[in-house]
Amino acid sequence: MSILYLTFLLVSLAGVTALDVRHRLFLGRDPRRALAVLGIGVGFFLLWDLAGIALGIFFRADGPFATGILLAPDLPLEEPVFLLFLCELTMVLVCGAERMLAHRRKELP
């Protein structure tokens, strides 16, 4: 049992969130709406995972870097953290790209 993977996920999530808040991209711009979007996104993907597990499509592979803690059969503790990181990173990239494109449009004559 190791917490290495979970630690890397949490550190990565903290880094992306710090950039987000610093540059007011997603959580930093409208926290209430952003938290709702993150909750919906994580909830959707958790339901997707649970459906895949129930259908025998998804399964947990034992790894040396995982905690081994399961929230449900074949649903490791790291999965919701990964999904939160994935949703946050996606929204930061989308909001950052929108900002960059808007800035470029202002520069063009």
Side-chain angles (χ1 to χ4, degrees):
M1 183 156 100
S2 172
I3 62 166
L4 194 58
Y5 179 53
L6 181 60
T7 301
F8 283 144
L9 282 174
L10 291 171
V11 168
S12 299
L13 178 60
V16 170
T17 303
L19 285 171
D20 175 5
V21 171
R22 165 66 178 89
H23 295 286
R24 296 183 180 172
L25 296 169
F26 182 57
L27 277 167
R29 187 177 356 167
D30 189 351
R32 185 182 299 162
R33 188 178 301 175
L35 289 173
V37 168
L38 287 175
I40 291 168
V42 172
F44 171 80
F45 285 118
L46 275 175
L47 289 174
W48 180 288
D49 281 354
L50 292 172
I53 290 167
L55 292 171
I57 299 168
F58 300 152
F59 57 91
R60 179 180 66 96
D62 291 326
F65 304 113
T67 61
I69 300 171
L70 297 179
L71 301 175
D74 289 324
L75 184 68
L77 172 65
E78 295 87 357
E79 187 67 11
V81 177
F82 170 73
L83 294 174
L84 179 60
F85 169 70
L86 180 69
C87 290
E88 169 67 4
L89 178 63
T90 301
M91 292 310 301
V92 166
L93 290 172
V94 167
C95 293
E98 285 177 345
R99 182 175 290 175
M100 286 176 55
L101 291 171
H103 182 71
R104 282 193 173 172
R105 277 185 289 235
K106 287 181 186 177
E107 289 180 354
L108 294 175

